[in-house]
Amino acid sequence: AQKVTQAQTEISVVEKEDVTLDCVYETRDTTYYLFWYKQPPSGELVFLIRRNSFDEQNEISGRYSWNFQKSTSSFNFTITASQVVDSAVYFCALSEEDSNYQLIWGAGTKLIIKP
Amino acid sequence: NAGVTQTPKFRILKIGQSMTLQCTQDMNHNYMYWYRQDPGMGLKLIYYSVGAGITDKGEVPNGYNVSRSTTEDFPLRLELAAPSQTSVYFCASGTGGVYEQYFGPGTRLTVT
């Protein structure tokens, strides 16, 4: 079974729309860490956020926000008022003791923002 | 600060050839990682190191070797290249498994 599931393979929206990228994870550990990374068309991987399992507070950073819900094992990412520069592949990843704290990656969601 | 640098950026290998992908970081991170990313997929861990002289296998180590003689460098060696090793290879570094990793720009390798 996949430990990190990003069910949306590709999402396409028009600029200025809000968009939410879903991430569902699976772990038996009580202490674990969740991450989001961005991979723009240029190919590099850029760290966006890290969350530990004991901190369920939502996080907002400018137009980006993250919703962590342990009850549904989800760590969703919302971009408000999307811009063309947000076009990228976004990866969710899990770090848990059961996997020796190695990052387990989702398959990624390709986000296309049309002008 | 250069961060994590990787060379070369692109390489084409013939089946059976060998090569070394270079990775250097200047952030004094103890942890370093090698990943491969196949088209349309997430990253898969090949090898990692928690400090100079210490390396361990990740999820897909077959066909690769690593060494870590210094904190800064973590080269990845491909022996007897096969078409299945065609991929983009990323090196990363960090301060520990529970913390974020910082990635190099990647090496696009084609084996034909």
Side-chain angles (χ1 to χ4, degrees):
Chain A
Q2 282 191 323
K3 288 211 162 204
V4 180
T5 302
Q6 294 181 256
Q8 304 148 309
T9 306
E10 184 173 304
I11 301 174
S12 181
V13 300
V14 177
E15 201 173 18
K16 295 192 177 61
E17 285 186 17
D18 299 348
V19 58
T20 296
L21 310 182
D22 298 332
C23 173
V24 174
Y25 61 92
E26 179 189 328
T27 181
R28 294 177 302 180
D29 290 341
T30 54
T31 303
Y32 54 89
Y33 300 81
L34 295 162
F35 301 80
W36 277 94
Y37 284 84
K38 174 182 180 179
Q39 187 174 40
S42 51
E44 75 273 23
L45 282 141
V46 179
F47 164 74
L48 294 177
I49 190 170
R50 165 184 175 267
R51 212 79 183 134
N52 74 56
S53 52
F54 298 107
D55 183 1
E56 281 195 79
Q57 255 192 334
N58 288 339
E59 175 104 6
I60 298 175
S61 176
R63 296 183 296 105
Y64 294 174
S65 62
W66 290 269
N67 182 269
F68 176 29
Q69 291 200 338
K70 287 173 76 169
S71 60
T72 56
S73 296
S74 65
F75 186 42
N76 296 338
F77 173 31
T78 297
I79 301 175
T80 303
S82 60
Q83 299 176 1
V84 172
V85 294
D86 296 326
S87 297
V89 180
Y90 290 87
F91 291 98
C92 180
L94 166 71
S95 174
E96 55 170 8
E97 184 178 5
D98 201 34
S99 301
N100 203 24
Y101 291 114
Q102 300 313 311
L103 277 181
I104 303 163
W105 295 77
T109 296
K110 183 174 183 180
L111 178 62
I112 300 168
I113 310 295
K114 298 178 187 173
Chain B
N1 253 358
V4 180
T5 57
Q6 291 182 238
T7 56
K9 283 190 168 49
F10 304 93
R11 184 73 187 265
I12 298 174
L13 278 183
K14 291 193 188 321
I15 294 171
Q17 287 185 324
S18 300
M19 77 164 294
T20 298
L21 280 65
Q22 301 292 344
C23 175
T24 300
Q25 54 97 5
D26 63 1
M27 296 175 280
N28 203 33
H29 288 160
N30 281 330
Y31 286 66
M32 294 187 76
Y33 310 83
W34 274 106
Y35 293 93
R36 60 177 286 171
Q37 183 181 27
D38 298 327
M41 307 287 286
L43 278 70
K44 293 192 175 175
L45 183 65
I46 305 171
Y47 271 96
Y48 67 99
S49 169
V50 301
I54 307 169
T55 62
D56 208 347
K57 295 177 181 179
E59 185 185 354
V60 290
N62 290 347
Y64 308 94
N65 271 304
V66 293
S67 59
R68 183 99 182 269
S69 56
T70 66
T71 299
E72 295 78 21
D73 301 305
F74 190 40
L76 176 72
R77 177 97 179 143
L78 278 74
E79 304 281 2
L80 298 174
S84 60
Q85 293 177 304
T86 293
S87 191
V88 180
Y89 291 84
F90 288 99
C91 178
S93 72
T95 53
V98 303
Y99 297 102
E100 59 270 25
Q101 296 175 17
Y102 296 90
F103 285 80
T107 294
R108 187 175 295 274
L109 176 69
T110 302
V111 182
T112 60

